[in-house]
Amino acid sequence: MAKLNFVYGAMNSGKSDTLIKTAYNYTEQGLNVVTVKPKVDTKGGNKIVARAGGQWQIDLLADKDANIESFLATSYVSKGTKVHCVLVDEAQLLKPNQIDQLYEIAKLHDISVVAYGIRTDFQSKVFPGSQRLFELADNISKLVTMCRCGEQAEFNCRQMNGDYVFDGSQVAIDGFGEVAYSSLCGNCYYKEKIRYNSNHKGERVSRTVSEV
């Protein structure tokens, strides 16, 4: 029986690179791969774009209402097209019910699914899609990357105009406007968080008073 696999890692751990290499390895052997990316991830448009420069065409840009299992059944299975693997980029941005659909693809259609994503956001809170993957995935593995200090990075950190920020919406796409991301170890993450809280203490006090 096919498996639902979750491969996660902090930013810059090579998730998209790994996906592209996996897709290439399948297609090189004449095997069919279906690639999926959440539509909310506008970076690269209808392609997966890796930091190292690699690109891969997307078969489904899934909006929040997309049924991934139905798409696969209608576009491939019902037409007799054998799909050997479904590869998902930025899986943390999928809705929990869409993760359920990935599980159904593996179990009902006997097609291996590999979902690549990050565990937590820039506030160290788990993404709903990632949480569901941790609950359902048959296999979970971790890709490792390094912090600026040389230690293993665990936290995904958002920068605006080069400064680390710890307030804002959960989703802001890397490279759009002044948004950028980097990966930090726990020690460096909390140093930046303490610095941010110190610099914005007055703003938070003012906001709290005004809300009262």
Side-chain angles (χ1 to χ4, degrees), residues 91-208:
Q92 77 278 357
L93 299 178
L94 292 177
K95 299 298 182 183
N97 67 303
Q98 292 175 317
I99 303 301
D100 291 352
Q101 294 159 17
L102 297 180
Y103 191 76
E104 292 169 3
I105 289 170
K107 302 309 175 184
L108 299 181
H109 299 292
D110 197 25
I111 299 172
S112 295
V113 179
V114 187
Y116 298 83
I118 59 178
R119 179 178 55 182
T120 56
D121 63 17
F122 74 111
Q123 294 177 320
S124 71
K125 296 177 181 178
V126 68
F127 283 94
S130 297
Q131 179 175 331
R132 193 63 179 142
L133 278 163
F134 278 117
E135 293 167 346
L136 285 182
D138 298 292
N139 299 307
I140 299 172
S141 58
K142 181 179 180 180
L143 296 176
V144 174
T145 190
M146 295 292 101
C147 175
R148 64 192 183 191
C149 69
E151 296 294 327
Q152 181 173 313
E154 300 289 351
F155 292 90
N156 305 295
C157 302
R158 182 181 296 171
Q159 292 171 281
M160 297 288 292
N161 298 312
D163 295 325
Y164 288 98
V165 297
F166 294 85
D167 290 315
S169 60
Q170 186 174 55
V171 178
I173 303 303
D174 185 21
F176 282 78
E178 301 300 329
V179 178
Y181 288 91
S182 61
S183 303
L184 300 179
C185 69
N187 189 25
C188 291
Y189 175 84
Y190 278 99
K191 284 181 179 178
E192 293 296 343
K193 189 172 184 179
I194 290 169
R195 182 179 293 113
Y196 177 85
N197 288 339
S198 176
N199 291 340
H200 294 79
K201 184 176 181 180
E203 292 179 17
R204 291 197 306 278
V205 170
S206 175
R207 189 184 310 130
T208 302

